[in-house]
Amino acid sequence: MKNKKITYTLESNKKPADNTDKPKSDDEDDATMLQQLMSQFSGLFGSLKSSDEPAAKDPVLTAFDLKTAAEYMSKCSNIVVMAGAGISTSAGIPDFRSPETGLYSQLEKYNLPFPEAVFHLDFFRTNPKPFFLLAKELYPQKFTPTPTHYFLRLLDEKNKLLRIFTQNIDSLERVAGVPTDKIVEAHGTFFTSHCLNCRKEYDLEFVKEIIFKDEIPRCKECDGIIKPDIVFFGEGLPRRFHECINSDFDKADFLIIIGTSLQVAPFNRLQTFVDKDCPRLLINREPVGKSKSPMDAINASGSLLYGTKANRRDVFHQSTCDEGVTELVKLLGWEDDFNKLLESEGTSLEKAKEHLSTAPNETGENADRLAEQIAKAALNDDETKKE
């Protein structure tokens, strides 16, 4: 990749920023600082402005709606997808960051050090039970893919998919039949596990059998804890993630961002790596990816620009993931093929729509139940240690 660098560790948005001595609420100070910088480097900002003006007159898309995005997308053959937990919520899998139904929101009610503690190595080493309760709930093959997962498979069958970069650890892309070489599991996988001490590798079935007995998997060689290859906060991301970023984003001719909060680095920076003329389609229930502070203006290329005068290529379609891809396949003229694919897998759009009406409550209930179990496991372990 040309002149592009990122930090290849999973970072929580809950962690303090590098400038921890400055309160987050100092928006006015940020604005003042930005004004001072622009004043000091007025010549630089002036040259940037003048160089941007011709590009602004030559938009990549003629309109910034789903129909226009579909028309452009129909001519593409190297589509990259960035997928988050939102593509799996209609399967009944809780996401992590939704304000009311997300797992982290539910965990805030309990006495964990912080909601993300279950995905931190230090906490895991001292108390692995909460993570393995979560792992048991999310283990591959326990849930069925959603229409969005089958849409991703259809993209591949239409010879348009270059790669899916997924934040999810549920492996539903694999279950839906997307070829494994087209999937990058940015936050890891359950399909392999390693001992934290001696690094001996274990397969999916070995670990699954143990955790489904509500036991902690331990290494046969050294009795260390066996951890599935799920990326915890502060850990390096998989090598394949690095390799495919370098090979794929320069090739991408269309980017789909779907079902993600874009809050976890480095995944939330990937949209900046495509070419400046590559359209970026966001399908999401909430708007994400836009500038959050005046300082972001210095690196505007890192933000999605839908809804702004500077926009040349970004489209935001506000909907659930399943509703969004259903509308998209209609605009692409793929509706019959999509319906046949769903039917061959024992589902249909009608069934998906019926499930959509109950999925939010079901997902929220699942998150609440799971959060309570995780909290109890943490509390019981603490009490055992005190004894």
Side-chain angles (χ1 to χ4, degrees):
M1 180 163 294
K2 302 173 183 176
N3 302 321
K4 290 168 183 172
K5 296 181 181 179
I6 61 174
T7 302
Y8 294 122
T9 57
L10 183 62
E11 302 170 19
S12 168
N13 70 317
K14 297 291 186 181
K15 290 184 178 180
D18 291 339
N19 55 339
T20 52
D21 57 329
K22 184 177 70 175
K24 292 183 179 180
S25 60
D26 288 347
D27 290 339
E28 293 183 1
D29 288 347
D30 284 346
T32 302
M33 184 184 300
L34 181 58
Q35 290 173 353
Q36 291 173 347
L37 285 170
M38 292 181 71
S39 175
Q40 292 172 12
F41 300 103
S42 57
L44 172 61
F45 278 89
S47 65
L48 287 174
K49 181 178 179 181
S50 61
S51 66
D52 283 347
E53 284 176 355
K57 296 177 182 178
D58 186 21
V60 177
L61 300 175
T62 58
F64 304 111
D65 54 28
L66 193 63
K67 180 180 179 181
T68 306
E71 290 172 355
Y72 191 103
M73 178 181 159
S74 67
K75 304 169 187 175
C76 297
S77 57
N78 286 308
I79 297 173
V80 170
V81 179
M82 294 169 55
I87 73 170
S88 296
T89 51
S90 66
I93 300 176
D95 73 352
F96 291 92
R97 297 182 182 276
S98 290
E100 295 181 3
T101 60
L103 184 62
Y104 291 155
S105 175
Q106 300 295 334
L107 282 171
E108 286 178 351
K109 298 184 293 188
Y110 301 102
N111 192 28
L112 290 176
F114 46 93
E116 295 100 326
V118 69
F119 287 113
H120 276 259
L121 268 180
D122 289 343
F123 184 81
F124 177 81
R125 288 180 185 277
T126 59
N127 185 7
K129 290 181 181 179
F131 170 79
F132 283 114
L133 273 171
L134 176 62
K136 182 179 177 181
E137 289 291 324
L138 299 182
Y139 232 73
Q141 302 172 350
K142 187 168 184 178
F143 294 91
T144 57
T146 68
T148 301
H149 292 100
Y150 289 118
F151 166 74
L152 299 177
R153 173 175 159 184
L154 185 62
L155 272 182
D156 180 66
E157 293 179 353
K158 294 288 184 180
N159 296 315
K160 291 187 171 294
L161 180 66
L162 176 60
R163 204 85 64 194
I164 300 167
F165 288 77
T166 179
Q167 293 176 282
N168 299 333
I169 58 176
D170 53 41
S171 300
L172 287 181
E173 297 88 1
R174 297 186 188 219
V175 179
V178 179
T180 55
D181 66 309
K182 293 295 183 77
I183 305 169
V184 174
E185 292 159 319
H187 293 170
T189 177
F190 281 107
F191 277 78
T192 55
S193 301
H194 286 83
C195 171
L196 286 179
N197 293 342
C198 71
R199 303 304 299 165
K200 179 177 174 61
E201 182 173 314
Y202 292 88
D203 63 22
L204 175 76
E205 292 304 319
F206 176 85
V207 177
K208 179 181 178 181
E209 183 179 350
I210 296 172
I211 69 171
F212 272 67
K213 295 177 182 176
D214 294 322
E215 299 174 359
I216 305 300
R218 292 198 170 270
C219 180
K220 294 180 177 179
E221 300 292 332
C222 70
D223 200 42
I225 299 172
I226 300 171
K227 173 184 164 293
D229 291 340
I230 303 301
V231 181
F232 280 19
F233 291 116
E235 286 191 299
L237 271 63
R239 178 182 297 177
R240 177 168 164 76
F241 176 81
H242 309 170
E243 295 171 347
C244 289
I245 283 179
N246 292 331
S247 66
D248 294 347
F249 279 81
D250 285 337
K251 295 179 186 176
D253 50 16
F254 196 90
L255 177 66
I256 299 174
I257 308 166
I258 184 165
T260 173
S261 64
L262 289 179
Q263 291 187 30
V264 178
F267 193 90
N268 64 351
R269 302 169 196 160
L270 298 186
Q271 74 275 9
T272 70
F273 294 167
V274 294
D275 186 83
K276 62 182 176 61
D277 290 329
C278 175
R280 303 181 295 187
L281 169 62
L282 171 66
I283 300 175
N284 219 48
R285 293 180 64 180
E286 303 293 337
V288 297
K290 300 186 77 173
S291 297
K292 293 183 179 179
S293 73
M295 291 303 293
D296 288 343
I298 293 177
N299 185 29
S301 63
S303 302
L304 298 176
L305 297 175
Y306 56 86
T308 70
K309 292 181 180 180
N311 189 24
R312 301 175 55 243
R313 55 172 173 157
D314 295 337
V315 174
F316 172 42
H317 182 74
Q318 189 164 19
S319 71
T320 66
C321 298
D322 292 345
E323 290 169 337
V325 300
T326 299
E327 183 63 24
L328 187 55
V329 295
K330 290 178 182 177
L331 294 169
L332 289 165
W334 299 352
E335 190 172 12
D336 288 343
D337 292 335
F338 191 46
N339 287 334
K340 288 177 183 177
L341 174 58
L342 294 178
E343 184 179 351
S344 71
E345 296 293 336
T347 187
S348 67
L349 288 174
E350 288 71 25
K351 289 180 180 178
K353 288 176 182 177
E354 289 176 8
H355 188 54
L356 277 173
S357 63
T358 59
N361 289 335
E362 177 184 329
T363 304
E365 290 169 1
N366 286 346
D368 192 22
R369 173 183 52 79
L370 185 55
E372 185 177 0
Q373 291 176 348
I374 290 171
K376 284 182 178 178
L379 179 62
N380 290 340
D381 191 73
D382 287 343
E383 290 177 348
T384 300
K385 289 176 181 178
K386 289 177 183 178
E387 293 175 0

